Amino acid sequence: MRFRAHQAAAHVATRRLLLLFALVLVLLVFAVNAALALIYRLTFPWASGYPAYFFETNTGLVLLFVLGGCVLESLRLREGGRHVARLVGGRAVSGEEGAAPRDRYEQRLLNVVAEMAIASRLPMPQVYVLPREEGINAFAAGWGPEDAVLAVTHGALMRLTREELQGVVAHEFAHIGHGDMRLNMRLIGLVWGLQMVHTFGHALAEPDELGRRPASTPFGLALMAVGALGWMAGRVLKAAVSRQREYLADASAVQYTRNVEGLGGALRKIADQLRHHRQRWVSAQAEPLSHLFFFSPGGRWLATHPPLEDRIARLYGAPRPVLPAVPLPEPPDEPLLPVAALGLASGGSAAVRAARVASAPAPEGGATRQGLLHDPVQHAASGGALQRDRETLARVTRWHGPGERKAAVLALLADGDERGWQAWAEETRGLAVAAAVRAEVESLGPAARLPALELMLRRSAGAPLEERRALAEAARRVMQADRQIDPGERLRWMLLRHLLSGSRTSAPAPADDNHIAHLSKDVAVWTAFLARIIDVPGWYDDVLRELLPAERRPVGVPADGEALWQAWQSLERLAAMQRPLLVRTWVSTACRAAGGEPLPQPWADALRISACLLNTPSPQALSRQYIEVATDAA
């Protein structure tokens, strides 16, 4: 879902929230009037009728307290996320004068937040720590990305690994990017107002200094009882608004980090804390703000978050055991990223790696320092060749014209074959830029060729339909010039069709049919096809062993032709958090088969194209073999 779709969804959710609030308010007015009328009858049984303006006064008081409470809390929230963070005992680590990290845990947190700002292309938020909270948790609050605050508990800093902390922080960035914060801030005011009736009833029934109950006690108790309905309604409102947006934030976190284990590990450690009754709030103000947090304990029906086991199962495709949530050793010292210079960050994960490498001192002996991301193509090319590829690719990114795009796409598909180049020459006859484009393409190394092809195809996707059809037909003729199509070329043809269509995905499958285990035959077909390229004995069996239980592993599946296209269409409909798991398994088993060496280029290209066809980012172990191109330049 794109940003405008997220905005539209947030607006719809806001309207739904206001309608629910109006309905609850009407029901609360009726409940208060009914309760006070009953109390009046029991207290004054001899009276006939009710006092003048009895119901009007009751209705006015309810509206005054509920709407007045909403307005009052909304005024307090004008300061944005900083007010919320201070309300629960937060301490600023960045974004305020004098704020600075006090130890390596907080220093690591600042770097992780900076990295996720780049990966999500959002402004760097102010960072707070909740020093008294030992439960693993976090929240994002504010009226928009420009005044956002991201707060993390002390327990999360102490008990989460770096990648797990990335998963939690990425989840909160997803809430910022999806427009959930504004909705949640409005929800704070509405729930506060609904609870004001209970607060007023408590004041009426409260005894004086001598312990004597006032005459208004029956009315106060009635208001407290009805006010409890307001509290319950507030919980229902929070549960109705928050649950589905948590699933979306989980999926986006995996997209930002390209890692299921980070977010999944954090949730599994929270499950351990729940088992040992350690997931409790210290701040009295934390519970009313439960819908803001990464996780909030509570009963299944009134919980503001989906069940923990459901979130874990969606991430992994199956239940996973808990992880011990024990304090970890102090992390290694990390040089702080220049967070003040990030601003509106862009550049995705490649920019994250570049920023971290630039800020890190060279380790002794030239070895890669543990915990620091290294150059994405360090294993793919030497320094001189890598620099030449970068310079050439920088020139390729400036190609926008239809002639340049056509010549480049066909040259990248000709793949050095003599008959392919002859067909290329026929297709590009009359293009003045053809010779120059061919020279640049032929100088590209393997780390840059596939990213360049993806860039040119994405740019061509915006061309008129007839131009795209002509490009596809020309590409087919070039690829068939040698009268044979190998598995790698078949994947490139599928990539061309996919990207020229605008990378549109199929409609999602029903919830009970979009898991890897339910699409075992399609998983086996695609894996068998990849095994024709990753020609290592046992690789196919290793993949299926990791992905599927023994009883679901198909035997004798086809690995080409129509079966391959049908498998692709089915796998496109996998759940958003299942596709990265599938790609990650292909890549990890291929890396083991390569014995720790860089993947052979045909393997790497096949796996990268498979990831692109499933609309999921390449895992880090694969993406580091390529020079990434900023696709937003298209």
Side-chain angles (χ1 to χ4, degrees):
M1 193 168 10
R2 302 298 182 192
F3 178 70
R4 291 189 184 277
H6 290 313
Q7 280 189 321
H11 290 319
V12 170
T14 299
R15 288 194 293 269
R16 187 186 302 120
L17 171 64
L18 294 176
L19 288 173
L20 282 172
F21 176 75
L23 177 61
V24 167
L25 183 56
V26 170
L27 294 176
L28 192 60
V29 167
F30 276 108
V32 168
N33 275 298
L36 293 182
L38 178 61
I39 295 297
Y40 183 83
R41 279 299 179 194
L42 294 175
T43 307
F44 307 103
W46 60 85
S48 60
Y50 295 95
Y53 302 108
F54 179 82
F55 295 105
E56 291 84 349
T57 302
N58 296 337
T59 301
L61 285 174
V62 172
L63 295 177
L64 174 64
F65 278 98
V66 174
L67 299 180
C70 293
V71 172
L72 177 63
E73 186 60 20
S74 297
L75 290 175
R76 292 169 60 189
L77 290 171
R78 283 186 303 177
E79 193 178 353
R82 287 185 297 176
H83 169 74
V84 178
R86 291 169 184 164
L87 201 61
V88 290
R91 170 175 55 80
V93 179
S94 74
E96 292 187 9
E97 186 177 352
R102 296 184 180 180
D103 53 36
R104 291 182 179 180
Y105 294 101
E106 295 181 5
Q107 190 166 305
R108 180 183 65 175
L109 171 63
L110 275 186
N111 279 347
V112 167
V113 174
E115 292 163 10
M116 290 303 104
I118 296 174
S120 62
R121 302 183 180 184
L122 290 168
M124 177 75 182
Q126 300 175 69
V127 181
Y128 277 71
V129 169
L130 309 182
R132 297 189 299 154
E133 300 291 346
E134 290 302 320
I136 297 172
N137 232 316
F139 71 81
W143 291 106
E146 297 74 20
D147 74 334
V149 160
L150 195 150
V152 178
T153 62
H154 179 258
L157 296 183
M158 295 290 293
R159 291 171 168 80
L160 297 182
T161 65
R162 197 180 201 287
E163 67 174 6
E164 290 165 354
L165 186 62
Q166 278 184 328
V168 172
V169 170
H171 176 99
E172 299 308 323
F173 266 97
H175 283 309
I176 297 174
H178 296 165
D180 296 341
M181 289 193 310
R182 178 176 291 272
L183 180 66
N184 287 334
M185 295 287 276
R186 287 178 175 146
L187 192 53
I188 294 173
L190 298 183
V191 171
W192 187 277
L194 289 173
Q195 294 176 350
M196 285 292 288
V197 174
H198 182 277
T199 303
F200 178 58
H202 185 273
L204 289 178
E206 189 174 14
D208 60 17
E209 295 84 354
L210 299 177
R212 295 174 299 189
R213 292 279 182 181
S216 58
T217 296
F219 294 93
L221 293 175
L223 287 177
M224 288 176 65
V226 176
L229 297 177
W231 175 88
M232 182 74 70
R235 295 285 302 193
V236 171
L237 279 181
K238 291 194 291 184
V241 170
S242 302
R243 287 197 184 191
Q244 290 303 315
R245 308 195 74 78
E246 293 301 321
Y247 286 131
L248 178 58
D250 282 350
S252 298
V254 173
Q255 179 184 358
Y256 294 156
T257 61
R258 302 184 178 187
N259 183 8
V260 174
E261 291 295 339
L263 182 64
L267 291 171
R268 291 161 70 187
K269 287 184 176 180
I270 290 175
D272 181 67
Q273 286 195 321
L274 282 176
R275 176 181 293 179
H276 294 93
H277 306 289
R278 293 172 183 162
Q279 190 72 23
R280 297 176 178 174
W281 306 118
V282 174
S283 170
Q285 298 295 336
E287 200 285 329
L289 304 174
S290 59
H291 61 289
L292 294 177
F293 281 87
F294 173 70
F295 171 77
S296 177
R300 178 174 290 267
W301 296 109
L302 292 179
T304 56
H305 290 61
L308 197 60
E309 58 272 18
D310 288 359
R311 294 173 70 181
I312 294 173
R314 284 200 179 205
L315 283 173
Y316 290 100
R320 285 291 189 273
V322 302
L323 294 176
V326 297
L328 301 176
E330 187 176 21
D333 186 28
E334 293 187 14
L336 279 174
L337 295 182
V339 294
L342 289 177
L344 288 171
S346 62
S349 58
V352 174
R353 290 191 286 273
R356 299 198 65 196
V357 170
S359 67
E364 294 183 8
T368 302
R369 180 178 180 173
Q370 185 179 7
L372 293 178
L373 299 176
H374 54 275
D375 189 277
V377 289
Q378 196 63 258
H379 300 295
S382 63
L386 174 61
Q387 184 59 31
R388 287 193 298 273
D389 276 353
R390 290 191 188 281
E391 293 171 357
T392 304
L393 199 53
R395 292 192 293 272
V396 170
T397 59
R398 294 194 286 270
W399 294 344
H400 286 272
E404 293 171 319
R405 295 197 311 269
K406 178 180 179 180
V409 168
L410 299 183
L412 288 162
L413 294 175
D415 207 23
D417 179 78
E418 181 179 351
R419 282 173 291 187
W421 281 121
Q422 290 175 354
W424 174 88
E426 288 292 326
E427 299 295 338
T428 58
R429 183 176 297 163
L431 289 179
V433 297
V437 168
R438 173 175 175 174
E440 294 281 31
V441 167
E442 288 190 299
S443 69
L444 285 174
R449 294 181 68 84
L450 193 50
L453 176 62
E454 292 171 3
L455 177 65
M456 292 296 104
L457 289 174
R458 292 185 192 279
R459 286 183 175 169
S460 300
L465 178 61
E466 289 304 316
E467 182 183 323
R468 283 182 281 150
R469 284 178 175 170
L471 177 59
E473 286 300 313
R476 183 179 57 79
R477 289 190 289 268
V478 168
M479 296 176 73
Q480 292 180 342
D482 61 355
R483 302 185 184 281
Q484 60 182 2
I485 297 291
D486 61 36
E489 288 177 316
R490 183 174 294 277
L491 282 177
R492 281 172 171 77
W493 173 247
M494 296 176 75
L495 178 70
L496 179 142
R497 294 281 299 273
H498 179 57
L499 294 184
L500 284 185
S501 69
S503 303
R504 290 186 292 271
T505 58
S506 303
D512 59 350
D513 196 32
N514 62 358
H515 286 263
I516 288 173
H518 299 144
L519 297 175
S520 55
K521 181 181 177 181
D522 301 298
V523 170
V525 168
W526 197 272
T527 305
F529 180 80
L530 289 177
R532 297 176 59 186
I533 301 171
I534 307 174
D535 189 14
V536 176
W539 180 80
Y540 170 84
D541 293 329
D542 288 345
V543 172
L544 294 196
R545 194 177 297 113
E546 288 196 23
L547 290 174
L548 301 171
E551 65 274 9
R552 284 185 174 268
R553 294 174 202 158
V555 179
V557 296
D560 211 339
E562 185 64 25
L564 186 67
W565 285 89
Q566 292 177 354
W568 172 35
Q569 292 172 356
S570 296
L571 294 179
E572 267 195 305
R573 302 173 67 195
L574 277 170
M577 287 175 282
Q578 291 284 291
R579 284 178 265 132
L581 175 61
L582 178 60
V583 173
R584 187 164 52 85
T585 303
W586 285 334
V587 172
S588 62
T589 51
C591 288
R592 288 200 298 270
E597 295 296 319
L599 296 178
Q601 202 59 45
W603 297 16
D605 286 353
L607 292 169
R608 181 184 175 104
I609 292 174
S610 297
C612 184
L613 290 174
L614 295 181
N615 293 291
T616 191
S618 297
Q620 182 186 337
L622 177 61
S623 63
R624 66 166 61 123
Q625 292 196 204
Y626 293 91
I627 302 173
E628 299 296 342
V629 183
T631 56
D632 58 345

